[in-house]
Amino acid sequence: MKTFSNRRVNYLAAMQPQVSIWVPLAVGLIGLLGVLATQLITTRRDLSREAAAIRRADHIFWRDKRLDAALTLLVTMNAWREIVVDTWHNPPDDATYAELHAAVTTMSDTLATLKLIGTNEIRQAATQAVDDLLTTAATVRTSPATADLAAASRHLSATINILRDHLRHSLSIP
């Protein structure tokens, strides 16, 4: 009987599958690589999202700076236009000259700011508008008797409106 038992034990031992030590190691290594790959993918995705958020914030920051400068320029241009048109109809006094000087200085400073931080389109449009305003005013001032003051005033307003529309488009303002 003893031989039968030994044979049975040997038979059962032979029937059990033998797993090489490399199989659990390979499975563990694959699992570890999967975890590491998942972490790398997640980290890369997070960094990409963070970079996109930084780019958006930077875009918004500079857009706001351009908007502030453009608004200052438009307000100054309107104030300057009103003073200039008034000087065409009434002789200016020292206070009016001081207001004109302050408006031109502010307009020049704001234009310099827009030339620094503005896009190419904004730079060109703002420069052209300021040059057009100053040229029109100089033309009227050099020959006030022959100048059509109403047409010149409308031209100044139209120049400012064209710049305003261009800035709205360039700065994506609805």
Side-chain angles (χ1 to χ4, degrees), residues 4-113:
F4 178 71
S5 280
N6 284 339
R7 266 199 263 162
R8 187 173 170 180
V9 170
N10 288 340
Y11 176 74
L12 290 175
M15 291 296 291
Q16 291 179 355
Q18 296 294 319
V19 177
S20 174
I21 188 72
W22 296 107
V23 173
L25 289 176
V27 170
L29 183 62
I30 291 172
L32 180 64
L33 290 176
V35 169
L36 290 175
T38 303
Q39 285 297 323
L40 287 174
I41 291 170
T42 303
T43 302
R44 183 176 173 153
R45 191 176 305 151
D46 289 343
L47 290 175
S48 175
R49 283 187 193 134
E50 188 175 312
I54 290 170
R55 283 191 305 273
R56 273 192 306 276
D58 189 54
H59 175 76
I60 290 169
F61 174 81
W62 286 110
R63 181 186 171 275
D64 288 347
K65 290 287 187 188
R66 289 180 189 113
L67 181 61
D68 289 342
L71 182 61
T72 302
L73 181 65
L74 288 172
V75 168
T76 304
M77 289 170 94
N78 277 324
W80 176 87
R81 183 194 56 77
E82 290 177 14
I83 297 168
V84 166
V85 170
D86 286 344
T87 63
W88 292 344
H89 299 292
N90 302 317
D93 58 0
D94 289 340
T96 305
Y97 281 128
E99 288 178 27
L100 275 172
H101 179 71
V104 169
T105 301
T106 303
M107 198 168 20
S108 176
D109 292 347
T110 307
L111 180 61
T113 301

